[in-house]
Amino acid sequence: MEPSQSNQHLGELEKLEKSYSDLAQKLHKPTNVKYALMWEFGSILQNCLPQGLGSEASWLDALRTLFRKKESKRCSATARKELGHLRRQANKQRWICWESDAAGVEVEVAMLSGRSWRFIIGDTAKGSEVKERLAELSGIHFTELSLLCDGVQVQDSEVLLVSYTVPLQKPWPQLQLLRIFRPFALSCSTDCTLKMWDLEKGTCATTLRGHGDGVMSVAVDWKSRYAVSGSHDCTLRIWDLDHGICVQAIPVAEHAAFCIEFDHGAHRILTGSWDKNVKLWDSELAVCVATFTSHTKTVKTVRLHWPSRRAISGSSDGTLKLWNLDAVDDEACVMTFEHGEEVWSADVDWGSSRVLSGAMDGSIGYWNLQTGLRLATLAGHRDAVSCVALRCSEGKALSGAWDRTIRLWDLQDAVCQAVLQNGYAVTTMSVDWVHHVALVGSQEVSSGVL
């Protein structure tokens, strides 16, 4: 291919990557005025200082941008789709550049199943970029792919033609592809970030930044690999976990989301806050579509089941409430469960019509969702129960509390079967009942618990 044509392909790739980067940066920018100004000032320092202070005019122009009238910070689903479109375009253009790279090498990648693919990789191709190419060809999700060369795992940041020069000159196939299922977890923190954890390695895989204040809540739709988070900066942010970027920011006025649930397929987000309200949001339109107002104190936990148009909320007013999401005003609250103490946590088995609620006094209520009757009270914790998980098919429940313990319960006999010492106050918990593993978090540390 002519050098001029190759340069043209590279130029087009650079344009696409810049457009993608600019849009991603815009979506990451905080909407809170204070933090937005800090973000802008940091960007100016980053862009200007390495090249020198520059002319007085350039600095004046940069400072003026802080005070120009900005467009609305509401990022619609249109921007999210545009970001995905730019990503796909950039990938396709990168593969065109590889094909025209005179220094490129044709490789064959084979799986144990016998499937194989041949294509050219350019002299700057990184492990992550090759995996994206293979994800497109194989139809296997990017995160499930592990690339090997000469028996060594290729790291995402490695340039293949630099790190594996000799092995790539060997006969085909030079690369092997393994499909692996890696468990991940997502956590949020008052340090304004979210972190994606690789549980096999016990390491942080990605840090998600964009919130302008502490992040109080997060919910993940692992099937779609999208998450939504709520922060003190009064925004909801939707994250693309595959690429570690914010793809949508939704302003929520004074309704800072203390707790959150997410159904990405239905484009619905459910939130609870200090304003005593439960709100239902349309993530596609970035608007609140319903507000439920029966609680008299802070809403601390919510659970959403969109197929049945129902939700559960728990509050510091000592109650759980069952909501009909299709109803309005006074008809929306279908049932109230009187726990008696501040409700800090709840979990629902919608198929079995059972509800579990954890309270500030350490008690746990087990309820019939249809009749409203309390089936049992689980006693044993000596401090606030911050998280509960329900498994009716096995007659089990798990709870974590500020007394630094996790308790396994037999629901039929309402007795504690096991007490696990965590060492720190348990503030959050996620349970994998299939593999009998729980991940718990605290103010000090996160840890896996069997």
Side-chain angles (χ1 to χ4, degrees), residues 56-69:
E56 181 180 344
S58 65
W59 264 95
L60 286 174
D61 286 341
L63 288 172
R64 286 191 191 103
T65 63
L66 293 176
F67 304 100
R68 288 175 187 153
K69 186 177 180 180

Side-chain angles (χ1 to χ4, degrees), residues 88-157:
R88 290 189 293 273
Q89 280 189 310
N91 279 339
K92 289 179 180 178
Q93 189 62 35
R94 181 177 295 108
W95 303 332
I96 291 173
C97 290
W98 288 356
E99 294 289 337
S100 62
D101 188 350
V105 172
E106 186 174 9
V107 298
E108 181 176 351
V109 186
M111 295 187 73
L112 294 176
S113 63
R115 297 177 68 188
S116 64
W117 304 269
R118 289 183 186 177
F119 53 87
I120 294 174
I121 59 172
D123 64 347
T124 61
K126 295 180 180 179
S128 59
E129 295 170 345
V130 176
K131 281 167 61 177
E132 290 215 36
R133 177 67 168 138
L134 290 166
E136 176 77 13
L137 293 170
S138 67
I140 301 172
H141 201 276
F142 173 87
T143 58
E144 297 178 7
L145 299 179
S146 180
L147 191 62
L148 302 177
C149 184
D150 205 27
V152 178
Q153 184 176 14
V154 178
Q155 302 301 312
D156 286 350
S157 59

Side-chain angles (χ1 to χ4, degrees), residues 33-59:
V33 175
K34 171 185 173 183
Y35 293 101
L37 288 172
M38 292 171 64
W39 182 283
E40 288 275 22
F41 188 65
S43 298
I44 291 171
L45 292 178
Q46 183 180 11
N47 293 332
C48 297
L49 287 181
Q51 289 80 30
L53 294 179
S55 67
E56 181 180 344
S58 65
W59 264 95

